[in-house]
Amino acid sequence: MSSAHFNRGPAYGLSAEVKNKLAQKYDHQREQELREWIEGVTGRRIGNNFMDGLKDGIILCEFINKLQPGSVKKVNESTQNWHQLENIGNFIKAITKYGVKPHDIFEANDLFENTNHTQVQSTLLALASMAKTKGNKVNVGVKYAEKQERKFEPEKLREGRNIIGLQMGTNKFASQQGMTAYGTRRHLYDPKLGTDQPLDQATISLQMGTNKGASQAGMTAPGTKRQIFEPGLGMEHCDMVNVSLQMGSNKGASQRGMTVYGLPRQVYDPKYCLTPEYPELGEPVHNHHPHNYYNSA
């Protein structure tokens, strides 16, 4: 089985557009720097085509074994496709253990199927940065910042909770001078318009009304009827104290004849029933007319 069996055909539409954008990000100057670095470490020549020289994964496995001995136990020298893919997979596992971040590592198909050479180059640059961080002499890539852990005593940490950081602002020099009472009007002053600057910010304008001279004289109880009186129309002044008979009266009210809550109420009609007789308190009850009342229940 030849390697041409795994090569993809030409891309069209959106796939071709994405592939062209990725190809434009490929840096040939970085490729030359990576070539010199890998050939100098391994002692092997890659070839004219940089990616085709790394496609079988042999140089990559030998390269990581130079940086970290024993990273790849077995390097397949066979030309079979699955052996070459196995070499690339072993290289990816080795650089992951070496410290390269997973989001910086390419996939096997990016190199083997020539789908994303830009990502392959980014992975090699990340490997160079990690190698430089570990102390290797590398002329490509950047050195990662070293972690500097600081340990504080528990007393210091508790004290820091009472301090407001400057990133959160400060309340120094704060003042409530010129603040108005809640609900009062705020004056807007613009010197460009020529308006007069208000002198007193706490004074309530008469346009907002006033409570001076307020009185509750003549106010009626809640729920009573309010009378409208206008002398100019010849209206008579109404009595606001007495309750009109049109509103009913509670004079002569009595609870006589009321039953206990829950008992049935009797319906009485003089056309069909005799006059009911109600016994007085303490008088024995004699029911002489058992059919004078009709139960409405």
Side-chain angles (χ1 to χ4, degrees):
M1 183 182 298
S2 62
S3 61
H5 177 72
F6 288 88
N7 292 334
R8 295 174 180 262
Y12 300 96
L14 182 60
S15 298
E17 183 178 354
V18 172
K19 189 174 182 179
N20 291 333
K21 288 184 178 181
L22 292 175
Q24 292 175 2
K25 296 180 180 181
Y26 191 83
D27 192 345
H28 293 279
Q29 179 64 30
R30 293 293 185 181
E31 175 187 316
Q32 183 62 29
E33 295 175 357
L34 290 172
R35 177 193 295 271
E36 295 176 358
W37 178 46
I38 295 175
E39 290 179 350
V41 173
T42 59
R44 301 185 57 171
R45 180 173 175 79
I46 297 177
N48 295 331
N49 193 316
F50 182 71
M51 290 298 171
D52 287 343
L54 303 178
K55 191 173 183 179
D56 56 4
I58 298 175
I59 297 179
L60 293 177
C61 291
E62 293 180 356
F63 178 60
I64 190 61
N65 281 335
K66 294 289 184 179
L67 297 177
Q68 187 73 29
S71 298
V72 178
K73 302 299 181 182
K74 180 183 178 181
V75 180
N76 297 310
E77 299 286 347
S78 175
T79 58
Q80 299 293 331
N81 291 328
W82 55 84
H83 287 160
Q84 296 178 1
L85 285 172
E86 184 179 358
N87 289 337
I88 298 176
N90 292 334
F91 171 76
I92 292 175
K93 294 178 182 178
I95 63 175
T96 303
K97 295 180 180 179
Y98 190 70
V100 180
K101 303 300 181 182
H103 59 269
D104 292 331
I105 300 177
F106 66 91
E107 296 181 358
N109 290 335
D110 293 339
L111 175 60
F112 193 78
E113 297 185 2
N114 302 319
T115 57
N116 193 351
H117 288 169
T118 304
Q119 185 61 37
V120 178
Q121 187 181 71
S122 299
T123 302
L124 296 177
L125 291 174
L127 179 60
S129 298
M130 183 57 63
K132 180 178 292 188
T133 305
K134 291 181 178 292
N136 296 314
K137 295 182 179 180
V138 184
N139 296 328
V140 62
V142 294
K143 183 179 179 180
Y144 291 133
E146 297 179 359
K147 183 186 297 185
Q148 296 182 359
E149 297 182 358
R150 298 181 181 180
K151 296 182 180 180
F152 296 94
E153 298 295 332
E155 292 78 8
K156 289 291 184 180
L157 295 176
R158 284 192 293 268
E159 292 178 0
R161 296 175 182 175
N162 300 326
I163 300 176
I164 301 176
L166 293 179
Q167 294 180 352
M168 302 176 65
T170 178
N171 58 355
K172 292 184 179 181
F173 311 109
S175 174
Q176 294 181 348
Q177 183 179 4
M179 293 184 64
T180 59
Y182 292 103
T184 57
R185 184 178 62 178
R186 298 183 61 187
H187 297 275
L188 299 178
Y189 171 70
D190 190 354
K192 298 180 181 179
L193 300 179
T195 57
D196 295 334
Q197 184 177 5
L199 300 178
D200 188 1
Q201 298 287 340
T203 303
I204 301 177
S205 174
L206 292 179
Q207 294 179 357
M208 302 177 66
T210 178
N211 57 356
K212 293 183 178 180
S215 174
Q216 294 182 350
M219 295 186 64
T220 59
T224 57
K225 181 173 63 174
R226 299 182 62 185
Q227 304 291 339
I228 300 176
F229 174 71
E230 177 60 45
L233 300 179
M235 299 178 61
E236 297 181 358
H237 185 70
C238 299
D239 188 1
M240 306 297 298
V241 179
N242 297 325
V243 180
S244 175
L245 292 179
Q246 294 180 355
M247 302 177 65
S249 174
N250 59 354
K251 293 183 178 180
S254 173
Q255 294 182 349
R256 181 181 180 185
M258 293 184 65
T259 60
V260 183
Y261 291 104
L263 295 181
R265 301 181 60 187
Q266 307 292 337
V267 178
Y268 168 72
D269 191 345
K271 295 181 182 180
Y272 303 101
C273 302
L274 299 178
T275 303
E277 297 180 0
Y278 300 98
E280 300 294 335
L281 294 177
E283 180 181 351
V285 179
H286 299 285
N287 190 5
H288 300 288
H289 305 283
H291 302 289
N292 286 350
Y293 302 97
Y294 296 92
N295 195 337
S296 61

